[in-house]
Amino acid sequence: MERNKMPQNLLRCGLAVLLYLLAGIPVALAGSPQQQLLDTAQGFYSWTIEHGNEVSKLEPRIKDISGTSRFYLDTSTLDAYTARLMQSGYFAPDFPAAVSRYYKRYEAEFSGLGQETFDQLKHDGRGPMMETEDMDPFFCAQEYEYKNDFVSGMKIKSAKWRGQTATATVVSPYQWETKFLFTRVEKRWLISGFCVYK
């Protein structure tokens, strides 16, 4: 009779261990498509904490033309910048096009400015001309000392799926919201756009 009770006891032990491991994980999210989106966003942010400084050095920047009031957007590092982001493994193949659209738009805008506008900007003092000059383009917020606890505290506020694409609003512990676009590549949800890169 004692032998017949053995499997039941093992089963109870196994269930107890499983419940312990799942403690703190919302049942609705565990293993769900919503959790998969959050895992991708958090994975990218964790990667950014480690590699963000080196990647930032490659970001296209506005440069002044010596001896004039003119400036331009230097996109000579755009391919290297995008390639470094892609190396993280968190981005879909269509993400480089989203990054390019953002910088090429400003490149065209600045090259189309007349001399009078450049002179006025120099006279008034030129503030940030692009969103990426005034914020951290990875976290889509003002500079902050980002840490792993900050990333682990992020949640999905809302998410929608449409075939092989999805959109999700990720909210930080400070209630900053960032909209992410995702594309399903094989079995993974990868980032195809976020922040200013859409």
Side-chain angles (χ1 to χ4, degrees):
M1 188 160 176
E2 287 300 315
R3 271 188 216 165
N4 291 336
K5 287 186 177 178
M6 228 7 202
Q8 275 190 328
N9 290 337
L10 285 173
L11 182 60
R12 284 187 189 127
C13 263
L15 285 172
V17 170
L18 182 61
L19 289 172
Y20 174 78
L21 292 174
L22 289 176
I25 302 176
V27 175
L29 288 181
S32 70
Q34 189 170 348
Q35 182 62 45
Q36 291 171 26
L37 300 183
L38 183 60
D39 287 346
T40 298
Q42 287 178 318
F44 162 62
Y45 280 137
S46 294
W47 179 88
T48 298
I49 290 173
E50 186 176 350
H51 301 283
N53 288 337
E54 65 181 80
V55 179
S56 291
K57 292 175 183 175
L58 298 171
E59 183 191 340
R61 299 187 188 281
I62 293 174
K63 292 190 176 178
D64 294 319
I65 299 175
S66 182
T68 74
S69 60
R70 301 181 72 86
F71 57 81
Y72 69 101
L73 179 60
D74 181 7
T75 57
S76 62
T77 59
L78 178 58
D79 289 344
Y81 176 66
T82 307
R84 189 66 188 91
L85 286 169
M86 292 297 291
Q87 287 170 11
S88 71
Y90 290 102
F91 291 95
D94 51 351
F95 180 69
V99 179
S100 181
R101 278 193 299 272
Y102 175 79
Y103 289 108
K104 292 296 184 181
R105 174 166 59 91
Y106 281 106
E107 184 180 39
E109 181 182 316
F110 298 156
S111 65
L113 295 177
Q115 186 59 51
E116 187 177 318
T117 302
F118 282 112
D119 291 342
Q120 191 65 48
L121 286 168
K122 184 174 183 179
H123 177 269
D124 295 338
R126 177 173 68 82
M129 300 291 289
M130 304 186 297
E131 295 97 323
T132 51
E133 286 187 288
D134 199 31
M135 69 178 185
D136 182 328
F138 306 129
F139 284 87
C140 203
Q142 298 296 329
E143 289 290 342
Y144 176 78
E145 190 179 351
Y146 304 109
K147 296 185 178 179
N148 289 324
D149 287 347
F150 181 79
V151 172
S152 64
M154 291 180 166
K155 307 288 182 192
I156 296 278
K157 181 177 180 180
S158 62
K160 293 180 182 177
W161 289 263
R162 186 171 183 179
Q164 298 301 301
T165 63
T167 60
T169 299
V170 176
V171 60
S172 78
Y174 282 164
Q175 302 307 304
W176 301 335
E177 295 183 6
T178 303
K179 183 178 179 182
F180 279 80
L181 311 177
F182 297 89
T183 299
R184 190 168 178 82
V185 180
E186 295 178 355
K187 294 183 178 180
R188 295 182 64 203
W189 285 102
L190 299 177
I191 301 165
S192 55
F194 79 109
C195 196
V196 296
Y197 306 131
K198 294 176 182 174

